[in-house]
Amino acid sequence: MEDVIILGTGCAGFTAGIYTARANLRPLILEGKQPGGQLTTTSEVENFPGFPEGIDGFMLMDHLRKQALKFGARVENAYIDRVELGDSVKTLFAGERAFESKTVIIATGAAPRLLGIPGEKEMFGGKGVTTCATCDGAFYRDMDVVVVGGGDSACEEALFLTRFCSKVTLVHRRDELRASKIMAERTLAHEKITPLWNSAVQEVLPDDEGKARAISVENLLSGEKSEIPCKGIFIAIGHVPNTSAFEGLIPLDENGYFLPEPGSMVKTAVPGVFVAGDCADHVYRQAITAAGMGCQSAIEAERWLAENK
Ligand code: NAP
């Protein structure tokens, strides 16, 4: 049986890995569907302390991985879909495989939210609808694209896309961006980016080959409908936490985020089970705060093991 299993290889998971490995607990880190977590889909990370020139998101995660491995953490690929959380033994199932551990640190992150409109699912992936400009932006060279959302992610996606695309329309449901001031100013000042305020995307419209050719949009103030021709639709409207495997076992809030015990950010109601990062934080959701929670959860796991020998 393992002392510590960590679920997730984002900032929270790897930081928990570094701390528990340095505590000689030889953590087993299980990597799910998105190795490296959300930062691997980000271009430049400018606000992680210690990198005055910024750092590529993928590279930052590679550094964290190497740092955890260097101290004895092990990484395996396994997507956990079912768990049994006993007081002394926690069993995690990935299909037919089972892993047993005394403590578990859940750092499963969050996945991009979708609009739930007609055409979105049908054209998701290679047919025009995507949630990752870093991954897919280059496919839309010299084309007109749309970004949906008004937060930092939407601004970041829009700015990144200006490197390739001829025109970026930023469709937002209000008339003011939610993004941080610096990102909002940079976005609105860019000559290739045009905001479309108070607007909701109604449908993604296909061409003869089933690929996106346009979106239909409704102006939420006037009710007027229009079509915007575009080959790429980048959806950046926030995230949903990856917590479904724990429903009914660990308290969740109404949006599905883990609800830690009062007085702690990382302890759950289940003894020996800790949470860290975006699966448990709908307020800050930063790489550095996820890393901080990873550190806290590692220290709590270490203490729990010492007290429950
Ligand atoms: P977010 O801040 O929650 O913004 C989501 C945006 O999507 C909001 O503008 C929201 O509109 C809009 N939205 C939500 N549901 C929608 C729907 N069904 N239809 C249309 N629009 C919808 O999410 P985020 O931009 O992904 O950022 C998450 C966190 O990560 C934030 O704390 C952010 O600061 C951080 N982040 C930081 C950076 C950076 O610093 N480089 C980069 C990316 C993200 P309303 O504004 O009307 O609610």
Side-chain angles (χ1 to χ4, degrees), residues 96-215:
E96 299 294 298
R97 296 165 75 194
F99 300 86
E100 285 190 342
S101 183
K102 294 175 191 165
T103 66
V104 178
I105 295 173
I106 306 169
T108 44
R113 175 180 286 129
L114 295 176
L115 290 162
I117 54 169
E120 180 182 46
K121 247 190 203 155
E122 293 83 345
M123 280 166 266
F124 197 86
K127 293 183 177 171
V129 181
T130 169
T131 55
C132 181
T134 322
C135 321
D136 299 330
F139 297 129
Y140 298 91
R141 192 173 292 279
D142 300 327
M143 297 182 198
D144 289 358
V145 296
V146 158
V147 174
V148 187
D152 279 321
S153 297
C155 290
E156 197 174 65
E157 300 278 273
L159 286 164
F160 184 79
L161 288 165
T162 59
R163 299 185 198 182
F164 312 98
C165 305
S166 28
K167 182 180 174 191
V168 181
T169 304
L170 182 64
V171 181
H172 184 35
R173 62 186 179 184
R174 295 186 294 127
D175 63 357
E176 188 186 21
L177 295 176
R178 173 179 297 279
S180 53
K181 203 162 181 277
I182 184 167
M183 287 292 273
E185 281 175 2
R186 221 183 270 172
T187 304
L188 296 176
H190 201 288
E191 57 184 11
K192 281 192 181 178
I193 301 176
T194 309
L196 188 65
W197 303 118
N198 302 307
S199 298
V201 184
Q202 302 285 297
E203 190 174 351
V204 183
L205 304 165
D207 63 13
D208 293 343
E209 293 171 6
K211 293 184 179 169
R213 68 165 175 84
I215 52 167

Side-chain angles (χ1 to χ4, degrees), residues 6-18 29 68 105 107 276 290 294:
I6 297 164
L7 301 184
T9 52
C11 274
F14 274 136
T15 305
I18 292 166
I29 307 178
I105 295 173

